[in-house]
C-alpha cells in the first residue's frame, strides 16, 4: 500500500500533565483514503490530529516518544511552512482558524495562498471556486468575525480546501451545522477522494461516517482500540463498549438479528438497510 | 401556571436585518418542546426573545401573567433560563463550581439554599467531579454541561437549551436525555434547539419546525417527521429508522427504533 503517514509507537503528553493523551499508538494511513476518526470526547482524537500536523509537539510542546512520519520523514524534521502546504488542518473551533488579520471572508480564504506566494490571478480563480463549492459566496464581503458559528465553520473549511493540500486533517467540521449543511460538507470532503487526496476526519455523526468514510479509527482513553474497514467495525455492537454509537440502521439490523431474523449482513448505511431488508421482505436474492 | 405565548412576534436586528417574521406559538407550562430548522431560520433569535435577551420589534412575548415588555431582562431571566449556544459566551469564572454558584448567590438566597442548588446542578450534569477545574481545561462539549448546570441552579420555571447536542458523544447525549427527563418530571417547561433528529424524535413531546424566519408547523414528533411538505420547507430529513421503514412501505407513525423493529418484523411475517 501507498502509505502517506505512519505513526510508530507514539506516546505523547501535554506539558504539566501526568497522563499521556496518546499511548503507544502505531498506525498507517494509506494515500487516497477517507478515514473517520471516532471515539468518546477526551479519547485523544484531537491530539491525534495535532500530532499528524506537527502542532504536537512543535506548538503545544510536551513530551513525544516514538515517531510521526509524513511521507517517510519525521514531523520534527519539517520546517513549519513545509508541513502546512502538505497537510491542510481544519480546527474544531472555527474561531481558532480565522486569521484575525483580514477584514473580509474573501481575503480570509485567500490568505493561505497569498502566504505561499501564488500569483494573484490564480488566487482569485481558486478562491471564487472554493467559495462556490462551500456555499459561502454571499458572505464574501462580510467580516469573518460577524458570522454565525455555522458560517464560520464553512469559511474555515474553504480556507483550507483552497490550498489543495495532499492530506486534509479535519476536526469536527459540522458540529454547528444543520443537517443539510452537514451533508453538503460530507459530500465536498468525499469528492476530494476523486483527486486522490487523503482525508482524516474527526466526527461524532456516525451515520454519515458510515456512508462516506472508507476506514475508521476508534480511540478510547488515548489508545487506538479498533482500526480498519468501516463495515466490520460499525456493524459490531461491541463498538458501544468503546463509548461510540452505532449507525441507526446497524442497531436496527442487530436488533432484528437478535430476535432471530436471518439477515444476510448487518447494514451500516441507509442504502444497505433498504437492500438487505427488502430482500427479506420480497424473498428475492 | 406559566404558559409561554408569542403573539405576532417579529424581530429585526439593528441595521434592519429581519430575523423573525411574525410568528405565533404557545408553549404550555410543563411542556418539553424541541425547535428544529436550518441555520439562519430564526431559532436562536426566537428563544432569546423568550428570556428577554432580545426584545421583539413588534408583537408580544407573554410568560404566565408577565408581558416581557413591562419587565427588565434581569426580571424575565428569573423565570426563563437560557443556556447559550456557545458556552464561551456564558462562562466567566475560574472554577466550575464558582461558575454555577454565581447565579444563585446573586439571587440573594440563603447559604443552605445556594449550597443545595449548586450541589444538585453539578450532580445532575455530571460536573461534580470537575468542580475544582477551570472550565477552560474541559473540552467544549463538557463546558456546555457547565453552562447547563449554571442555568439549572437558577431553578427557573422555564429552561431553554440552545443546541446542547452539538459535538456531544454517546455518553453526552445520554446525559442530556436524563437531564431533560428529570426537569420534565419536576414540572419545568423545557425548550431545546437541536439539529439531531434522532435526539429530537426520542426526547420530546412536541416539535416546532422553523424555516426562513417563520414557523412552518408544530406537532408531535410522529406528526412532524411524517409531514414531508414541512420537512422539505425546512430542509430536514426524517430520522434514519423512519426513512428505512418508509422505503419499505410504511406510511407514518414510525420514529423510534422499537417501532421500526416491530414494523419490519410484521412485514417479514406477512411475507413468510
Amino acid at each position: 500500500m501507498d502509505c502517506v503517514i505512519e505513526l510508530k509507537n507514539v506516546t505523547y503528553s501535554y506539558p504539566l500533565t501526568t497522563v499521556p493523551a496518546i499511548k503507544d499508538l502505531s498506525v498507517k494511513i494509506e494515500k487516497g483514503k477517507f478515514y473517520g476518526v471516532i471515539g468518546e470526547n477526551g479519547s485523544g482524537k484531537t491530539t491525534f490530529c495535532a500530532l499528524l500536523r506537527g502542532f504536537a509537539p512543535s506548538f503545544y510542546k510536551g513530551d513525544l516518544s516514538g515517531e510521526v512520519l509524513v511521507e517517510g520523514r519525521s514531523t520534527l524534521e519539517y520546517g513549519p511552512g513545509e508541513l502546512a502546504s502538505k497537510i491542510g488542518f481544519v480546527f474544531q473551533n472555527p474561531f481558532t482558524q480565522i486569521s484575525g488579520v483580514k477584514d473580509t471572508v474573501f481575503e480570509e480564504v485567500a490568505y493561505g495562498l497569498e502566504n505561499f506566494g501564488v500569483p494573484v490571478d490564480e488566487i482569485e480563480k481558486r478562491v471564487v471556486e472554493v467559495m462556490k463549492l462551500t456555499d459561502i459566496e454571499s458572505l464574501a464581503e462580510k467580516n469573518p468575525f460577524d458570522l454565525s458559528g455555522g458560517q464560520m465553520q464553512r469559511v474555515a473549511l474553504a480556507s483550507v480546501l483552497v490550498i489543495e493540500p495532499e492530506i486534509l486533517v479535519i476536526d469536527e467540521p459540522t458540529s454547528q451545522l444543520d443537517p443539510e449543511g452537514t451533508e453538503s460538507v460530507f459530500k465536498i470532503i468525499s469528492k476530494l477522494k476523486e483527486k486522490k487526496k487523503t482525508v482524516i476526519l474527526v466526527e461524532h455523526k456516525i451515520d454519515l461516517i458510515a456512508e462516506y468514510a472508507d476506514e475508521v479509527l476508534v480511540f478510547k482513553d488515548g489508545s487506538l482500540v479498533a482500526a480498519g474497514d468501516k463495515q466490520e467495525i460499525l456493524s459490531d455492537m461491541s463498538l458501544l463498549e468503546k463509548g461510540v454509537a452505532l449507525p441507526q440502521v446497524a442497531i436496527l439490523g442487530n436488533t432484528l438479528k437478535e430476535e432471530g431474523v436471518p439477515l444476510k449482513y448487518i447494514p451500516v448505511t441507509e442504502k444497505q438497510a433498504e437492500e438487505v431488508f427488502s430482500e427479506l421482505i420480497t424473498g428475492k436474492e | 401556571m406559566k404558559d409561554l405565548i408569542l403573539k405576532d412576534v417579529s424581530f429585526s436586528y439593528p441595521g434592519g436585518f429581519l430575523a423573525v417574521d411574525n410568528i405565533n406559538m404557545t408553549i404550555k407550562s410543563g411542556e418539553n418542546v424541541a425547535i428544529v430548522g436550518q441555520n439562519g431560520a430564526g431559532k436562536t433569535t426566537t428563544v432569546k426573545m423568550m428570556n428577554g435577551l432580545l426584545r421583539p420589534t413588534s408583537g408580544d412575548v407573554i410568560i404566565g401573567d408577565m408581558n416581557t415588555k413591562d419587565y427588565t431582562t434581569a426580571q424575565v431571566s428569573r423565570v426563563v433560563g437560557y443556556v447559550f449556544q456557545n458556552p464561551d459566551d456564558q462562562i466567566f469564572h475560574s472554577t466550575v463550581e464558582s461558575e454555577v454558584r454565581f447565579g444563585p448567590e446573586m439571587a440573594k438566597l440563603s447559604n443552605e439554599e445556594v449550597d443545595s442548588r449548586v450541589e444538585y446542578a453539578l450532580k445532575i450534569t455530571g460536573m461534580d467531579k470537575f468542580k475544582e477545574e477551570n472550565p477552560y481545561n474541559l473540552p467544549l462539549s463538557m463546558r456546555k454541561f457547565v453552562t447547563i448546570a449554571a442555568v439549572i441552579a437558577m431553578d427557573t420555571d422555564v429552561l431553554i437549551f440552545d443546541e446542547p447536542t452539538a459535538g456531544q458523544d454517546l455518553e453526552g447525549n445520554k446525559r442530556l436525555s436524563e437531564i431533560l427527563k428529570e426537569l420534565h418530571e419536576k414540572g419545568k417547561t423545557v425548550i431545546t434547539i437541536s439539529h439531531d433528529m434522532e435526539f429530537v424524535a426520542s426526547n420530546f413531546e412536541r416539535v416546532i419546525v422553523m424555516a426562513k424566519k417563520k414557523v412552518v408547523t408544530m406537532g408531535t414528533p410522529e406528526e412532524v417527521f411524517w409531514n414531508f411538505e414541512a420537512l422539505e420547507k425546512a430542509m430536514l430529513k426524517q430520522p434514519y429508522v423512519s426513512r428505512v421503514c418508509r422505503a419499505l412501505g410504511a406510511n407514518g407513525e414510525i420514529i423510534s427504533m422499537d417501532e421500526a423493529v416491530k414494523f419490519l418484523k410484521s412485514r417479514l411475517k406477512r411475507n413468510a
Side-chain angles (χ1 to χ4, degrees):
Chain A
M1 85 179 190
D2 195 356
C3 166
V4 283
I5 298 177
E6 183 174 10
L7 274 71
K8 285 185 183 167
N9 304 106
V10 170
T11 296
Y12 172 76
S13 307
Y14 286 101
L16 308 174
T17 57
T18 47
V19 184
I22 292 287
K23 292 172 210 156
D24 196 26
L25 174 62
S26 295
V27 68
K28 284 182 180 173
I29 303 292
E30 204 176 323
K31 186 177 166 64
K33 277 198 171 171
F34 183 162
Y35 289 82
V37 180
I38 55 180
E40 293 173 320
N41 284 324
S43 60
K45 305 185 297 297
T46 295
T47 306
F48 173 63
C49 293
L51 282 164
L52 300 181
R53 175 60 182 79
F55 289 143
S58 72
F59 176 77
Y60 295 112
K61 311 300 174 198
D63 295 321
L64 171 71
S65 68
E67 277 187 303
V68 182
L69 305 171
V70 174
E71 292 181 349
R73 257 171 86 200
S74 162
T75 52
L76 300 172
E77 289 167 20
Y78 279 89
E82 249 183 315
L83 257 187
S85 60
K86 222 177 260 302
I87 304 185
F89 193 90
V90 183
F91 286 89
Q92 184 174 6
N93 183 348
F95 209 78
T96 316
Q97 188 98 32
I98 306 296
S99 69
V101 300
K102 294 292 178 186
D103 295 332
T104 69
V105 166
F106 191 95
E107 291 172 292
E108 179 67 35
V109 176
Y111 185 53
L113 292 179
E114 273 182 328
N115 282 339
F116 288 125
V118 175
V120 177
D121 290 356
E122 196 188 329
I123 293 182
E124 266 197 33
K125 188 174 143 264
R126 276 161 74 173
V127 170
V128 167
E129 261 170 40
V130 86
M131 288 183 71
K132 195 170 166 194
L133 181 72
T134 50
D135 196 21
I136 54 170
E137 292 160 293
S138 61
L139 307 176
E141 298 297 315
K142 284 207 167 183
N143 186 309
F145 288 110
D146 287 342
L147 305 177
S148 74
Q151 291 170 331
M152 225 186 247
Q153 252 178 343
R154 275 193 268 195
V155 171
L157 180 65
S159 58
V160 172
L161 288 179
V162 76
I163 294 166
E164 299 180 4
E166 280 310 300
I167 304 162
L168 282 112
V169 178
I170 310 174
D171 197 356
E172 285 192 52
T174 69
S175 59
Q176 319 252 8
L177 298 181
D178 58 47
E180 205 236 345
T182 300
E183 188 109 31
S184 79
V185 164
F186 268 85
K187 281 189 183 136
I188 292 166
I189 294 171
S190 68
K191 263 195 211 142
L192 296 170
K193 269 183 22 180
E194 293 164 14
K195 296 183 182 166
K196 290 278 168 218
K197 308 282 187 193
T198 309
V199 179
I200 294 133
L201 173 75
V202 177
E203 182 58 70
H204 286 298
K205 291 168 186 160
I206 200 73
D207 304 276
L208 289 166
I209 288 288
E211 186 167 343
Y212 290 100
D214 301 310
E215 306 229 343
V216 288
L217 306 174
V218 189
F219 282 83
K220 187 169 169 48
D221 300 330
S223 299
L224 190 64
V225 289
D229 181 53
K230 70 167 175 202
Q231 192 76 31
E232 198 177 309
I233 293 173
L234 299 182
S235 62
D236 195 322
M237 287 304 260
S238 69
L239 192 58
L240 289 172
E241 291 153 27
K242 302 176 178 102
V244 181
L246 267 68
Q248 290 285 307
V249 293
I251 300 176
L252 189 55
N254 275 297
T255 313
L256 287 167
K257 200 174 164 191
E258 273 165 35
E259 300 200 7
V261 177
L263 292 183
K264 204 159 92 184
Y265 64 98
I266 302 290
V268 300
T269 67
E270 206 184 328
K271 211 170 143 230
Q272 288 178 354
E274 282 169 24
E275 185 185 279
V276 89
F277 296 143
S278 63
E279 247 177 43
L280 270 178
I281 289 171
T282 58
K284 272 192 301 211
E285 271 300 306
Chain B
M1 291 298 278
K2 288 214 159 58
D3 290 356
L4 205 155
I5 299 164
L6 270 61
K7 231 160 111 188
D8 304 321
V9 168
S10 294
F11 182 83
S12 302
Y13 281 94
F17 176 75
L18 181 71
V20 166
D21 185 6
N22 194 31
I23 62 171
N24 286 283
M25 62 174 79
T26 300
I27 295 168
K28 288 236 156 23
S29 173
E31 247 194 316
N32 189 20
V33 180
I35 303 182
V36 298
Q38 276 197 295
N39 292 127
K43 306 183 299 294
T44 294
T45 305
T46 300
V47 297
K48 280 187 174 170
M49 287 191 279
M50 292 176 183
N51 97 320
L53 274 175
L54 295 175
R55 302 287 167 166
T57 331
S58 63
D60 294 294
V61 176
I62 296 157
I63 303 150
D65 50 13
M66 299 165 75
N67 186 325
T68 57
K69 255 185 203 154
D70 308 324
Y71 295 84
T72 64
T73 304
Q75 287 169 323
V76 178
S77 68
R78 253 170 253 155
V79 185
V80 183
Y82 172 65
V83 180
F84 280 75
Q85 185 173 359
N86 181 358
D88 303 348
D89 289 344
Q90 192 174 326
I91 291 173
F92 64 107
H93 283 84
S94 60
T95 70
V96 168
E97 184 172 358
S98 58
E99 181 68 37
V100 177
R101 190 169 275 280
F102 175 76
E105 260 172 10
M106 283 290 124
K108 300 200 171 61
L109 303 164
S110 70
N111 283 340
E112 297 84 66
E113 179 67 17
V114 173
D115 286 346
S116 90
R117 282 200 194 175
V118 170
E119 195 188 332
Y120 172 75
L122 289 173
K123 191 160 173 280
I124 184 178
T125 52
M127 289 298 104
D128 42 352
K129 50 182 176 291
F130 304 116
K131 63 182 184 185
E132 305 297 329
E133 273 293 339
N134 186 316
Y136 286 99
N137 286 341
L138 301 174
L140 188 73
S141 55
M142 294 263 198
R143 284 212 290 288
K144 190 84 185 191
F145 282 106
V146 176
T147 58
I148 291 173
V151 171
I152 288 177
M154 293 303 291
D155 200 28
T156 51
D157 292 327
V158 182
L159 294 100
I160 300 170
F161 298 138
D162 199 346
E163 288 191 39
T165 50
Q168 294 298 344
D169 57 10
L170 182 63
E171 192 54 41
N173 269 344
K174 260 192 213 156
R175 187 175 300 146
L176 276 173
S177 291
E178 282 159 19
I179 293 170
L180 288 170
K181 198 165 156 242
E182 182 156 340
L183 292 172
H184 184 53
E185 279 166 8
K186 290 178 78 174
K188 303 287 186 191
T189 308
V190 186
I191 301 159
T192 306
I193 296 176
S194 178
H195 287 311
D196 183 337
M197 297 305 127
E198 271 68 33
F199 187 82
V200 169
S202 54
N203 286 287
F204 299 92
E205 294 170 339
R206 203 151 69 95
V207 184
I208 297 172
V209 182
M210 290 187 70
K212 298 193 176 120
K213 306 156 199 201
K214 288 179 179 291
V215 172
V216 176
T217 188
M218 332 185 190
T220 63
E222 286 83 358
E223 288 162 358
V224 164
F225 286 125
W226 286 83
N227 179 345
F228 298 110
E229 201 190 316
L231 291 178
E232 197 178 320
K233 253 192 203 156
M235 308 276 259
L236 296 171
K237 283 187 182 171
Q238 291 183 294
Y240 279 91
V241 292
S242 311
R243 278 146 72 175
V244 170
C245 291
R246 186 186 179 209
L248 298 170
N251 306 316
E253 291 296 302
I254 297 163
I255 55 160
S256 74
M257 192 59 70
D258 289 350
E259 290 160 349
V261 169
K262 227 162 111 191
F263 167 77
L264 286 170
K265 279 174 75 180
S266 76
R267 284 293 322 255
L268 291 171
K269 217 175 270 164
R270 223 189 303 155
N271 289 283

